Amino acid sequence: MITEKDAILACQAGKTEMYRTLVEKYKSRAYYTALMYTKNRDDALDLSQEAFYRAYRALNRFNPDKNFYTWFYKILRNVCLNFISRKKENVPISDGTYPGAVLSERESRPDEIFERNERSAAIENALDRLKETDREIIVLKEFDGMSYNEIAETLSIPLGSVMSRLYYARKKLLKELEYLNE
Amino acid sequence: MNKNQITCEQAQILMMGMLDGELNAQQKKQVEEHLDRCANCAKTYQAFKKLKKETSDMKLKPLPEMYWDEYWQHVYNKIERGIAWILVSIGAIIILAYSVWQAMEQFFIDPMEPLSMKIGVGALVLGTIILFVSVLREKIMLRKDDKYRSIKR
């Protein structure tokens, strides 16, 4: 069986086909992470694939002894955030500056991330109301399944801060849920 | 307070590690002892535990299998096209630079023209060609990947 490190070394030696091992392993996590940002299936597919492409281009500079996904995640996050900020710049909605611009039906109705039930819808709404940094750490832990070590590496924060950041983020999430339930 | 005892704030932060299975035995014991004697923190812990369970129970909506089947091919196409774009750009720059050289050969080989002027003109022309190719490539790629095509104005 090919290990992740073997696949990275093979890619660095120019064997593009070996990159498939990494893509197949992480495509699901990458797609759902992008979906959390974009709320749109097609965009999430395209952006996660774009992030894999950019990671491939930068792979020669990657140390194969390090964790691939935490490094890849930073690329994915940048791709998604750039996309969102570009979209915000280009699509002023009903603010009067661009009175003719309207979103198509596909753009205005976000795709569902979770199987729908009342509680998951409430949690998803509450998550959307959090600050980006708070939402991100919860998503990394709960939906990306990262360990504290991986979160610390991904967010470039000390390991000791992961627990406190998670505490404050979850506390805010609970507060938002209470607010939405009122 | 016993030196092994922790404050409510410390306990509430450590609760996260307890929920996520990230505490060592000593930290776990400290939190458990705190929860035994602090009703308020025990209540908070139950709220966090419920939230943890609810988020764990949330099921991601599955993507139709055909998207997963085609996923690698899309990434591969991007890689292949990326290499192709680099080659196309290099080729375009060489051809345009050669054409400009042909058109301005007299100027460049004229011994009466100062060397600094030749370097300046050469840099200006080459820079313009690279910028032109780069902007052209960006325009073509942006049109292909335009996320705003569906916006009706």
Side-chain angles (χ1 to χ4, degrees):
Chain A
M1 189 182 152
I2 306 155
T3 65
E4 197 168 298
K5 189 178 171 180
D6 290 340
I8 293 165
L9 288 169
C11 292
Q12 288 175 337
K15 292 178 185 162
T16 309
E17 189 60 33
M18 293 299 280
Y19 193 51
R20 185 172 189 166
T21 314
L22 297 167
V23 173
E24 296 294 344
K25 185 173 178 184
Y26 294 118
K27 65 184 181 187
S28 172
R29 280 171 86 175
Y31 163 74
Y32 284 109
T33 300
L35 190 59
M36 298 266 185
Y37 280 103
T38 64
K39 317 270 183 205
N40 178 283
R41 186 181 69 185
D42 294 340
D43 290 338
L45 276 168
D46 190 42
L47 295 178
S48 60
Q49 287 158 353
E50 178 68 23
F52 275 117
Y53 161 59
R54 291 192 191 184
Y56 180 81
R57 277 200 326 196
L59 206 56
N60 277 336
R61 298 193 296 274
F62 176 69
N63 176 355
D65 290 322
K66 299 237 171 166
N67 185 322
F68 173 80
Y69 188 77
T70 56
W71 173 75
F72 168 77
Y73 175 86
K74 291 177 194 172
I75 297 173
L76 177 64
R77 180 175 57 170
N78 281 340
V79 169
C80 292
L81 291 177
N82 285 342
F83 171 77
I84 290 166
S85 69
R86 239 179 33 198
K87 202 168 178 174
K88 276 183 188 159
E89 281 168 21
N90 284 279
V91 192
I93 305 164
S94 62
D95 61 359
T97 53
Y98 233 83
V102 289
L103 289 172
S104 69
E105 197 185 346
R106 185 182 73 84
E107 291 277 342
S108 59
R109 195 182 56 234
D111 283 329
E112 288 170 4
I113 302 171
F114 298 99
E115 297 279 8
R116 267 334 217 204
N117 64 52
E118 208 178 310
R119 194 57 183 164
S120 70
I123 293 174
E124 204 178 324
N125 285 341
L127 272 171
D128 283 341
R129 296 163 67 96
L130 295 184
K131 266 195 332 192
E132 173 60 38
T133 47
D134 291 330
R135 183 171 56 245
E136 182 176 40
I137 200 162
I138 292 176
V139 167
L140 288 178
K141 180 66 228 160
E142 301 300 350
F143 307 114
D144 222 348
M146 282 193 185
S147 68
Y148 283 8
N149 261 321
E150 287 172 325
I151 293 175
E153 201 182 319
T154 303
L155 300 181
S156 307
I157 56 174
L159 183 59
S161 303
V162 175
M163 232 186 288
S164 57
R165 291 251 313 250
L166 256 175
Y167 166 66
Y168 292 111
R170 280 173 170 158
K171 200 171 157 184
K172 284 176 198 161
L173 181 61
L174 276 176
K175 216 170 182 175
E176 286 298 338
L177 277 167
E178 279 168 22
Y179 172 80
L180 288 171
N181 284 341
E182 276 170 10
Chain B
M1 185 192 277
N2 182 316
K3 68 172 183 178
N4 280 328
Q5 284 184 8
I6 50 176
T7 64
C8 288
E9 194 185 353
Q10 288 170 324
Q12 291 186 8
I13 289 173
L14 284 169
M15 274 175 205
M16 300 302 110
M18 185 111 144
L19 290 168
D20 298 324
E22 296 262 0
L23 294 190
N24 60 36
Q26 194 203 347
Q27 289 171 317
K28 208 173 158 189
K29 193 164 169 256
Q30 283 177 318
V31 178
E32 282 167 349
E33 282 173 2
H34 184 90
L35 294 181
D36 282 343
R37 62 172 186 276
C38 178
N40 202 25
C41 284
K43 193 179 159 200
T44 306
Y45 180 66
Q46 287 309 316
F48 279 128
K49 202 172 166 183
K50 185 168 173 260
L51 177 68
K52 171 85 185 171
K53 182 166 182 332
E54 283 174 339
T55 48
S56 306
D57 288 347
M58 285 167 79
K59 298 259 182 301
L60 291 163
K61 199 174 163 75
L63 187 67
E65 207 53 44
M66 64 172 202
Y67 290 103
W68 293 130
D69 293 343
E70 294 167 356
Y71 195 94
W72 162 247
Q73 197 52 49
H74 286 288
V75 177
Y76 187 79
N77 290 345
K78 279 178 186 276
I79 293 171
E80 210 170 47
R81 282 170 203 166
I83 296 165
W85 272 115
I86 291 168
L87 293 174
V88 166
S89 303
I90 292 171
I93 288 167
I94 291 172
I95 291 166
L96 286 171
Y98 181 73
S99 307
V100 172
W101 169 262
Q102 289 284 306
M104 300 181 71
E105 193 178 0
Q106 281 309 313
F107 167 76
F108 283 111
I109 58 172
D110 185 353
M112 298 300 285
E113 294 290 347
L115 181 65
S116 56
M117 186 57 94
K118 289 179 186 173
I119 293 171
V121 171
L124 184 72
V125 169
L126 192 63
T128 308
I129 291 171
I130 293 171
L131 272 177
F132 172 73
V133 172
S134 170
V135 169
L136 189 68
R137 190 178 66 168
E138 194 185 348
K139 290 271 177 211
I140 296 169
M141 288 189 83
L142 270 183
R143 199 170 61 179
K144 179 170 67 72
D145 294 331
D146 188 3
K147 303 289 173 203
Y148 312 109
R149 273 178 306 203
S150 50
I151 297 167
K152 295 166 193 160
R153 299 187 196 281

